């Protein structure tokens, strides 16, 4: 795998450096400060485009506020619960509004985003329990739709953990998993190759893990390290689409998870997007590879459901 940045990715990183300068590592700041920095950095990717046919703010049965994006051409058949990333500690439904819009347009489904409790104040399994509560109450948001789940980074991790916890009952129709966290092996090929970034680094990812849960037991709990889950849990998952960024410490996580699934004879789809860094799908306003990745996810979603 080449670790050369695509010209478009390099241009985005150069533009960010010119606009913001060198920013402090949010994982080294007090949680509230780190969270504010992550919010500021990520909200830049939001905007009124792509426009939706309707946008709703609703309250879930567990009292959580959710944002619903309904694209033009929505036929009232499909809905996707989108779980935002941010290392289980940062970001929000608001930082991923642009992602939700893109996902709605390309899949043709209603996309529902929400906030869950964040580490380190609320470590595992608090955020996962919030995801399960929203999933259980989804019919109060839209009754009669076929529901799938999606997530990016730690959100993809939570999406898989949610499906494991459902234990074969009331499962999503499909899962869309973008550059997810599926293992905790900091000596994997990509963790070694991309240890210093650009973007996400091995040290940052280690701190995210420490925020979320102690090291003891990580490798034994499939809801923490899905790439090590028993075959039976993996076989019971609905059809999946996975992608990974080529220049990302987490690339090997997706490669290993995909290999485990394929070894069971499953036909899940997996793409590696070369020349881009972790989080690239947040950058659809400036990065053509991001737009193409959503388009690809939409194409596959229609075959999975």
């Amino acid at each position: 795998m080449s670790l050369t940045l695509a010209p478009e990715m390099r241009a985005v990183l150069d533009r960010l450096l010119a606009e913001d300068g060198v920013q402090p590592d949010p994982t080294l700041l007090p949680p509230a400060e780190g969270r504010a920095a992550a919010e500021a950095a990520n909200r830049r990717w939001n905007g009124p485009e792509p426009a939706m046919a309707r946008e709703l703010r609703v309250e879930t049965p567990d009292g959580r506020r959710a944002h619903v994006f309904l694209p033009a051409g929505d036929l009232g058949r499909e809905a996707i619960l989108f779980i935002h990333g941010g290392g289980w500690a940062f970001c929000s439904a608001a930082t991923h509004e642009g992602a939700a819009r893109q996902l709605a347009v390309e899949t043709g489904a209603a996309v529902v985003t929400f906030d869950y409790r964040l580490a380190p104040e609320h470590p595992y399994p608090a955020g996962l329990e919030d995801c399960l509560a929203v999933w259980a109450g989804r019919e109060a948001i839209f009754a009669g739709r076929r529901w799938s789940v999606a997530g990016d980074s730690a959100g993809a991790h939570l999406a898989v953990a949610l499906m494991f916890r459902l234990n074969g009952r009331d499962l999503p129709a499909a899962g869309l998993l973008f550059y997810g966290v599926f293992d905790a092996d900091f000596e994997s090929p990509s963790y070694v190759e991309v240890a210093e970034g650009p973007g996400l680094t091995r040290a940052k990812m280690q701190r995210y893990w420490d925020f979320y849960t102690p090291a003891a037991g990580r490798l034994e709990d499939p809801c923490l390290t899905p790439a090590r889950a028993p075959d039976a849990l993996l076989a019971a998952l609905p059809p999946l689409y996975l992608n990974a960024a080529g220049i990302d410490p987490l690339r090997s996580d997706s490669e290993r998870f995909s290999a485990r699934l394929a070894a069971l004879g499953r036909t899940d789809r997996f793409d590696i997007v070369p020349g881009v860094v972790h989080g690239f799908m947040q950058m659809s306003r400036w990065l053509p590879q991001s737009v193409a990745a959503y388009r690809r996810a939409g194409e596959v979603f229609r075959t999975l459901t």
Side-chain angles (χ1 to χ4, degrees):
M1 173 59 60
S2 171
L3 299 182
T4 302
L5 287 167
E8 301 89 346
M9 186 77 256
R10 169 57 68 191
V12 170
L13 296 179
D14 288 346
R15 180 171 176 176
L16 290 173
L17 182 61
E19 290 187 1
D20 298 347
V22 177
Q23 293 294 300
D25 180 346
T27 65
L28 296 175
L29 299 173
E33 285 185 44
R35 217 160 275 147
E39 288 280 322
N42 279 277
R43 285 193 184 225
R44 73 178 347 121
W45 307 117
N46 295 335
E49 300 296 332
M52 297 290 104
R54 281 195 298 156
E55 296 180 32
L56 309 171
R57 291 193 180 274
V58 301
E59 188 170 290
T60 64
D62 67 325
R64 200 169 305 279
R65 180 174 295 177
H67 198 158
V68 182
F69 297 91
L70 292 133
D74 171 52
L75 299 178
R77 297 173 184 167
E78 305 283 351
I80 298 172
L81 186 68
F82 179 72
I83 305 173
H84 72 80
W88 307 289
F90 299 145
C91 295
S92 63
T95 62
H96 283 62
E97 179 181 315
R101 289 175 181 272
Q102 289 287 343
L103 191 62
V105 166
E106 297 300 341
T107 60
V111 172
V112 178
T113 63
F114 64 99
D115 291 332
Y116 53 85
R117 286 174 291 174
L118 299 174
E121 300 94 328
H122 304 286
Y124 174 75
L128 174 57
E129 290 172 347
D130 292 347
C131 296
L132 285 161
V134 176
W135 180 256
R138 67 193 184 281
E139 287 293 305
I141 301 173
F142 283 126
R145 292 201 179 210
R146 181 167 50 183
W147 283 79
S148 296
V149 66
D152 70 311
S153 192
H157 174 279
L158 287 166
V160 176
L162 179 150
M163 291 186 276
F164 283 168
R165 286 280 292 269
L166 292 173
N167 197 26
R169 298 183 297 273
D170 194 31
L171 282 169
L176 304 176
L177 309 174
F178 308 132
Y179 39 83
V181 187
F182 303 124
D183 206 346
D185 177 8
F186 303 118
E187 298 301 324
S188 72
S190 61
Y191 265 115
V192 172
E193 295 165 358
V194 198
E196 300 304 320
L200 183 64
T201 67
R202 177 166 58 183
K204 285 181 184 177
M205 201 63 224
Q206 287 172 319
R207 285 190 284 273
Y208 283 133
W209 269 108
D210 289 341
F211 291 163
Y212 191 51
T213 187
R218 282 178 193 166
L219 303 186
E220 289 74 39
D221 185 341
C223 287
L224 291 173
T225 46
R228 300 169 186 260
D231 286 353
L233 275 178
L234 295 173
L237 290 170
L240 303 177
Y241 171 65
L242 300 87
N243 76 12
I247 308 174
D248 184 354
L250 295 179
R251 188 192 71 239
S252 293
D253 282 31
S254 290
E255 291 172 328
R256 290 178 174 180
F257 190 45
S258 178
R260 287 287 318 279
L261 296 167
L264 296 174
R266 292 173 54 98
T267 57
D268 306 289
R269 315 283 185 84
F270 173 46
D271 293 326
I272 299 179
V273 182
V276 297
V277 303
H278 186 81
F280 77 98
M281 289 178 72
Q282 279 287 85
M283 305 172 185
S284 58
R285 296 182 72 186
W286 299 347
L287 188 67
Q289 286 89 340
S290 175
V291 176
Y294 283 111
R295 188 168 300 123
R296 169 66 172 162
E299 291 168 356
V300 176
F301 177 76
R302 285 186 285 277
T303 70
L304 298 180
T305 59

